[in-house]
Structures are given as C-alpha cells and as structure tokens.
C-alpha cells in the first residue's frame, strides 16, 4: 500500500514538474523574444487625426513614492498626439503629500488637458445632493470615481502613480486594444490590455551621505513614506541594512524572475485572466455594459444591485483582477479577452522597503485573492524552485523506470544531489532572465528617461553583481514557502490602508478593528454582514 502511494505521488510530482518546465519555457521564450530590443513604433499616433482614439489617463496618487515626479511626468512625454490625451490625477484630499507634486506637474505642463481631482471635493460623495456611501469602501476606486465619470472619449487607462512608462507606450497600448497594425492592416481587437510590471530597487542610486559620512535616504523616496523633510539612515552593517531595506530587492527579484516567467506564459496561453493592475487599458463603453445587469446576463444576485461603471468594483478588494475577470467572462462579440503589450514595461522604482514589509505585502495579497483564484493559490508554492525541484527529484529517485533505464539510485543522497542540481540550473536561468529584463534593451531612452528606468545596458544606476544578486535570490526562494504557508494555510486576516480585515471563504471581508461602526464592510462579493450575522446589501464601511 505504501509503495503504491509513493508511486502515485512520484508520478504526480513528475507530471507537475513537466508542466512547470513547459510553462516557464514559454515565459522565457517570450521574454527573450520581446524584451531584447525596442518595439517598433506605434501605428495609432500617425493615423489621420479623426481616426486617433481619445485616451483618458487616470492616475491615483497617495503619499510620496520613490521617483514620484518622474513617474507621473512620464505621461506628459508620450509620443501620442497631445490633443488626444486627457490626464486626470486623483488624490484623496488636498492634504495628501502627493498633492503638491501633482500641482507642480500641472504648472510645468500647462498646454495639456490635465487636472487633479480631490476626492473630498467630489460632489457625488460630499456635495449637497451627494452621499459618502454613493461609492463603496475601496479607497482606490473612490479616488478614481470622479475621473472615470468625467472621462473624455471611450478609452480609459488607469495607471498607478508609482510606475514609469516609456514614450511610445500609449500608442502601443492603443494599437493592441484596437488591433492597429502597420500598412493600414487591422487584427482582432482586445477587451483589455496591460503591461508587464518590473520593480527597480533604488536604495543605491537614491541614497546620499550625511555630514558624518553615513548613508541615508530622504523620507520622500522611502517606499510608502509621506515625509519629505526627514532622512532615513541606512544601517552600516550588511545584516541590518538587508533587514531594513532588503524588501525592495526581494520584490525586485520576484517580479523579474518567477512572476515575469509565469505572467508571460499565462498571458500567452490565455487560459485564464492574469492581471496585476499597474497599467491597464479598456473601453468605458465595455465596462458600463458588463456592469449593467440589463445588458449582461451573468450579473445575478447581489452583483446585479451594485452600481454601474467603475463604481461597481468599489466593493471589492482586488479591483484590478475583478475588472479583468468580469471583462473576460462577459460576452463581447468580435473582441479577444486580454492582451499583454509585449516589449513595454511598467517600471516601479522602490526604496527603503524592509524585509518584514515585503513579507506583509506578499501575505496580504495571497490572502486577499485566496478565495478569488483558489486553485491557482493552492498550487502556487509548487512553482517555486525549492519545492518544484524536490517534487521532481523525489520522482526520479522513486520511480523504478529511471533506476532501470538511467541507473539513478533510489536513495536520499541521490535525491538531494538531483535537487541541488535542479535548483542550481533554476538559479542560472533566473539570473539570465533577470539580467535580460533589467538590461532595459526594450526601453526607448531619451532625455526624459530617469536613471532607474534606463536599465543596465543604457546607463542605469542600479546594477546587481552576482554576489548581491544571489543573496536576494536565495532570500526570496527560502521565504517563498513560509510566506505561502502562513498566508494560505495559517490565517485569513489582511492589513489594508491601516486597518485589519478577515477574509471569509465566501469572499466577504470583515473589519477586525474593535469598536468601529464599520465592523463589517463590503469588499469582495458585494455582500455585507451585520453584527448579528444577517446579510445586507446596503451597509458600507469606510476604509480610509
């Protein structure tokens, strides 16, 4: 009986390993094919003026992020026709630390159709005829609500404040969405298009020396900081420095290795929606249609009672995933589902993120989407190098076929030798993929390209020698399984916007902070629970 179980587990491990190898191979091929050179110039900017789609860019901003000015300014340097762009910045209040940065941007670019919306001044939420509960608790959607309602044209491009984009990205996003091709050709358009995200840890390039010769970071460039006046010391010892600021390296490693390979592969195969949400483009008319129960039969129950348009998603935590998922599932004849704009990167500079902050971030998002994509979350640990290589090594040293044909000993010693060889090969491939993406070979560099976005092959300031790269790689791989175990199997709470919530198996989220009126809030499936556990579709709690 035990022997049969071992054989079955070995077969399952071998099949899983083969699946992971195939998926990674697809992702690696796509990365090397599309990120080795600058993509061709977009078609849409050069179309006759009356055929160029109007694009409304909406950028939510909160606090001071590393490189915030450069990231926000990148939309003003697009090659897309200026008169076909509307740029809306959104902040929660005029007291937000990002507000002066936005005002400075608007003053520096007066010839653009650009403005800033302040949530606390939104008449729909705070006016005489408005109400604060007209939009659900999701702070990002509340921030963007007015910009969406007042958008010009049909194309909406939500773009996070902490990402930088190259000059031709707007054009290529529109090309992909509409199916524009050179020489006047057209292909099938998409419902939704997006970019591959990439993090660049900028502790090295954004640090300076104080009067005592100690390395420090300005508070304005520390990830998540809102204090531009203070300085943050960078510890001198390697261990302390790694603990206090190493989270950015771990996030950088994750997005340039495991995430990039699987993100590219899943979006190539197209078997399910796979969206991060840093830079997405879709049609307002489509979103209004799929959130209208009169025009979309898949909206039933509570979902049919939610608002239309972008506000429909204000009762969800993973709003970007839910938007992409609803568009994916809705029937819109003549359109493909999702399209990744290959070759272009949404680059996020990061500085000062600690290792605990990185762990908390990964735990939060694993728990937040655990019940939305349960099957994918449950097997996610198996795509990491240490676990996957163990599965395969166990199979190779347990199945009689490999012992009989290849002479592989069926011993623990042989297993660990094979495991070490597999992990080493995995690391080498990750190193190659990481260097390819961070080389920046697909980025069009001009006078507006900041150092963090230039890449190592274009004069970028951040270079990773093998020793420091290996430490970050090893740290991320070692942490992957404990983070997954803690997030998926050992808890259901998430910390979000300074408050704590518990994610239920039915995808509702319960506020855990005691003594608050908003003890139960709507976040995942639009249904709330009162203190007496009775369902309600009207109670809405506040997140901010």
């Amino acid at each position: 009986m035990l022997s049969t179980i071992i054989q079955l587990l070995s077969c399952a491990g071998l099949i899983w390993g083969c699946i992971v190898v195939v998926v990674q191979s697809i992702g690696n091929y796509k990365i090397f094919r599309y990120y080795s050179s600058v993509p061709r110039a977009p078609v849409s900017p050069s179309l006759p003026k009356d055929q160029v789609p109007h694009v409304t860019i909406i950028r939510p901003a909160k606090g001071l992020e590393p490189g915030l000015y450069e990231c926000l300014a990148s939309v003003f340097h697009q090659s897309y026709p200026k008169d076909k762009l509307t740029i809306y910045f959104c902040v929660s209040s005029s007291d937000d630390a990002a507000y002066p940065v936005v005002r400075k941007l608007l003053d520096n670019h007066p010839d653009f159709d650009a403005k800033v919306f302040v949530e606390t001044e939104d008449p729909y939420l705070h006016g005489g005829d408005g109400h604060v509960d007209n939009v659900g608790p999701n702070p990002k959607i509340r921030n963007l609500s007015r910009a969406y309602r007042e958008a010009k044209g049909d194309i909406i491009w939500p773009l996070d404040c902490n990402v930088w984009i190259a000059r031709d990205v707007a054009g290529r996003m529109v090309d992909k969405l509409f199916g524009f091709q050179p020489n006047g050709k057209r292909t099938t358009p998409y419902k939704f298009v997006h970019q591959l995200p990439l993090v660049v840890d900028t502790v090295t390039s954004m640090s300076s020396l104080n009067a005592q010769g100690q390395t420090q970071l300005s508070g304005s460039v520390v990830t998540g900081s809102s204090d531009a006046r203070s300085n943050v010391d960078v510890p001198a010892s390697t261990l302390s420095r790694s603990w206090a600021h190493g989270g950015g390296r771990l996030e950088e490693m994750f997005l340039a290795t495991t995430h990039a390979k699987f993100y590219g592969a899943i979006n190539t195969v197209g078997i399910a929606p796979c969206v991060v949400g840093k830079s997405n483009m879709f049609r307002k008319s489509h979103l209004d249609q799929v959130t209208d129960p009169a025009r979309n039969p898949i909206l039933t129950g509570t979902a049919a009672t939610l608002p239309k348009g972008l506000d429909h998603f204000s009762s969800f935590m993973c709003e970007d995933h839910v938007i992409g998922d609803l568009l994916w599932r809705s029937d819109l004849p003549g359109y493909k589902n999702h399209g990744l704009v290959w070759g272009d990167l949404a680059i996020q500079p990061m500085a000062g993120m600690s290792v605990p902050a990185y762990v908390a971030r990964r735990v939060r998002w694993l728990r937040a989407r655990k019940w939305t994509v349960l099957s994918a979350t449950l097997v996610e640990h198996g795509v990491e190098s240490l676990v996957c290589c163990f599965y395969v090594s166990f199979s190779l040293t347990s199945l009689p076929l490999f012992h009989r044909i290849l002479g592989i000993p069926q011993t623990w010693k042989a297993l660990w030798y094979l495991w070490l060889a597999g992990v080493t090969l995995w690391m080498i491939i990750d190193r190659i993929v990481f260097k390819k993406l961070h080389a920046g070979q697909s980025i069009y560099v001009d006078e507006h390209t900041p150092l963090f976005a230039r890449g190592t092959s274009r004069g970028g300031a951040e270079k990773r020698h093998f020793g420091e790269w290996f430490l970050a790689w090893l740290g991320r791989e070692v942490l992957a399984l404990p983070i997954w175990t803690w997030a998926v199997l050992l808890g259901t709470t998430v910390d979000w916007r300074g408050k704590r919530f518990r994610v239920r198996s039915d995808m509702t989220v319960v506020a855990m902070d005691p003594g608050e009126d908003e003890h139960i809030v709507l976040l995942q499936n639009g249904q709330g629970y009162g203190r007496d556990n009775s369902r309600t579709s009207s109670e809405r709690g506040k997140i901010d």
Side-chain angles (χ1 to χ4, degrees):
M1 179 65 179
L2 180 61
S3 175
T4 302
I5 294 175
I6 291 176
Q7 298 300 309
L8 290 174
L9 290 175
S10 299
C11 290
L14 185 62
I15 292 171
W16 176 255
C18 291
I19 292 173
V20 172
V21 169
V22 170
V23 172
Q24 289 212 39
S25 297
I26 294 173
N28 291 336
Y29 168 74
K30 288 290 191 173
I31 288 170
F32 275 83
R33 178 179 178 183
Y34 291 106
Y35 296 93
S36 296
S37 60
V38 177
R40 68 188 181 193
V43 174
S44 51
S46 59
L47 291 173
K49 198 168 185 178
D50 60 343
Q51 297 180 25
V52 180
H54 194 100
V55 178
T56 297
I57 304 173
I58 52 179
R59 305 203 69 170
K62 183 174 179 63
L64 293 177
E65 295 277 354
L68 179 63
Y69 184 91
E70 290 82 0
C71 289
L72 295 179
S74 62
V75 294
F76 292 106
H77 304 312
Q78 294 297 296
S79 61
Y80 206 75
K82 186 186 304 184
D83 60 338
K84 294 294 183 177
L85 284 178
T86 295
I87 303 169
Y88 290 154
F89 298 102
C90 308
V91 297
S92 59
S93 76
S94 57
D95 294 327
D96 193 290
Y99 185 72
V101 179
V102 173
R103 295 302 322 176
K104 182 180 178 181
L105 271 168
L106 297 179
D107 292 341
N108 291 343
H109 300 88
D111 52 337
F112 277 80
D113 179 15
K115 65 188 301 183
V116 57
F117 288 113
V118 180
E119 181 191 322
T120 55
E121 300 173 3
D122 185 353
Y124 185 63
L125 296 174
H126 303 283
D129 297 327
H131 194 279
V132 69
D133 292 338
N134 281 342
V135 179
N138 184 306
K140 183 176 179 180
I141 299 297
R142 292 178 68 88
N143 209 348
L144 299 178
S145 177
R146 186 177 182 182
Y148 180 86
R149 297 194 306 268
E150 299 189 17
K152 299 177 182 178
D154 192 35
I155 309 306
I156 306 294
W157 185 9
L159 187 63
D160 282 3
C161 70
N162 57 7
V163 297
W164 177 92
I165 55 171
R167 68 187 298 270
D168 291 327
V169 170
R172 281 191 285 268
M173 293 278 280
V174 170
D175 286 357
K176 189 84 170 184
L177 189 71
F178 280 83
F180 293 136
Q181 292 186 321
N183 302 320
K185 297 180 180 179
R186 294 284 295 269
T187 187
T188 307
Y190 284 86
K191 305 175 186 176
F192 182 100
V193 298
H194 54 116
Q195 292 180 263
L196 179 69
L198 190 73
V199 160
V200 178
D201 183 64
T202 59
V203 167
T204 302
S205 61
M206 288 190 174
S207 62
S208 59
L209 297 178
N210 61 17
Q212 290 74 39
Q214 297 174 319
T215 305
Q216 61 183 12
L217 284 168
S218 167
S220 65
V221 303
V222 175
T223 300
S225 172
S226 60
D227 187 359
R229 296 166 293 182
S230 65
N231 290 320
V232 179
D233 290 333
V234 178
S237 72
T238 302
L239 182 60
S240 298
R241 184 170 62 250
S242 299
W243 183 257
H245 301 288
R249 293 293 175 91
L250 299 177
E251 184 80 358
E252 176 185 81
M253 186 64 63
F254 171 66
L255 287 176
T257 53
T258 298
H259 181 271
K261 292 183 290 185
F262 281 90
Y263 198 79
I266 294 172
N267 278 287
T268 297
V269 178
I271 58 174
C274 184
V275 178
V276 169
K278 291 293 183 182
S279 173
N280 306 320
M281 183 181 285
F282 49 82
R283 294 168 180 81
K284 189 173 187 290
S285 58
H286 281 178
L287 203 65
D288 290 343
Q289 177 180 338
V290 301
T291 56
D292 184 354
R295 295 189 290 168
N296 191 2
I298 71 172
L299 293 180
T300 58
T302 305
T305 68
L306 297 176
K308 300 179 182 63
L310 190 65
D311 291 351
H312 180 91
F313 306 94
S314 61
S315 296
F316 296 79
M317 179 175 286
C318 304
E319 70 284 336
D320 300 302
H321 169 79
V322 180
I323 290 172
D325 180 69
L326 182 58
L327 285 169
W328 179 285
R329 293 184 294 112
S330 299
D331 184 23
L332 295 171
Y335 294 91
K336 296 181 182 179
N337 282 320
H338 293 180
L340 182 60
V341 181
W342 295 100
D344 286 314
L345 295 165
I347 300 177
Q348 177 185 353
M350 185 172 286
M353 174 181 275
S354 67
V355 172
Y358 164 78
V359 172
R361 177 186 175 94
R362 293 289 300 136
V363 168
R364 179 173 69 251
W365 288 112
L366 277 169
R367 288 179 178 173
R369 66 185 181 86
K370 177 166 62 176
W371 301 113
T372 57
V373 282
L374 179 60
S375 58
T377 305
L378 289 177
V379 301
E380 186 169 315
H381 71 289
V383 306
E384 304 291 354
S385 64
L386 305 187
V387 175
C388 186
C389 288
F390 179 82
Y391 288 166
V392 175
S393 300
F394 180 80
S395 301
L396 294 177
T397 54
S398 298
L399 293 173
L401 174 67
F402 296 103
H403 177 67
R404 184 173 63 251
I405 297 178
L406 301 178
I408 297 177
Q410 294 182 314
T411 64
W412 284 104
K413 183 177 181 180
L415 184 153
W416 290 117
Y417 274 134
L418 287 171
W419 176 83
L420 182 60
V423 170
T424 301
L425 178 60
W426 194 301
M427 179 200 67
I428 293 172
I429 295 173
D430 276 354
R431 173 68 170 168
I432 294 171
V433 172
F434 181 97
K435 291 185 68 175
K436 170 58 64 178
L437 289 173
H438 279 267
Q441 294 171 339
S442 66
I443 298 171
Y444 182 93
V445 174
D446 58 18
E447 68 275 14
H448 300 298
T449 308
L451 284 177
F452 65 77
R454 289 177 177 265
T456 57
S457 67
R458 306 292 184 89
E462 300 294 337
K463 298 182 179 180
R464 306 287 176 248
H465 300 295
F466 180 76
E468 62 176 320
W469 180 90
F470 174 73
L471 289 176
W473 182 87
L474 184 63
R476 201 210 71 81
E477 298 299 319
V478 169
L479 285 173
L481 182 58
I483 288 174
W484 179 88
T485 303
W486 182 21
V488 178
L489 303 180
L490 301 180
T492 58
T493 61
V494 296
D495 294 318
W496 194 40
R497 300 282 182 174
K499 294 189 178 182
R500 199 177 188 200
F501 303 89
R502 178 164 59 88
V503 184
R504 287 180 165 178
S505 59
D506 61 356
M507 295 185 297
T508 57
V509 176
V510 182
M512 300 290 289
D513 295 332
E516 295 188 358
D517 292 338
E518 63 273 22
H519 184 69
I520 306 301
V521 299
L522 304 173
L523 277 179
Q524 287 288 345
N525 66 356
Q527 295 177 333
Y529 289 80
R531 295 184 188 274
D532 59 353
N533 291 328
S534 61
R535 290 178 181 251
T536 171
S537 60
S538 60
E539 287 186 40
R540 294 182 184 268
K542 300 178 185 178
I543 295 299
D544 281 340

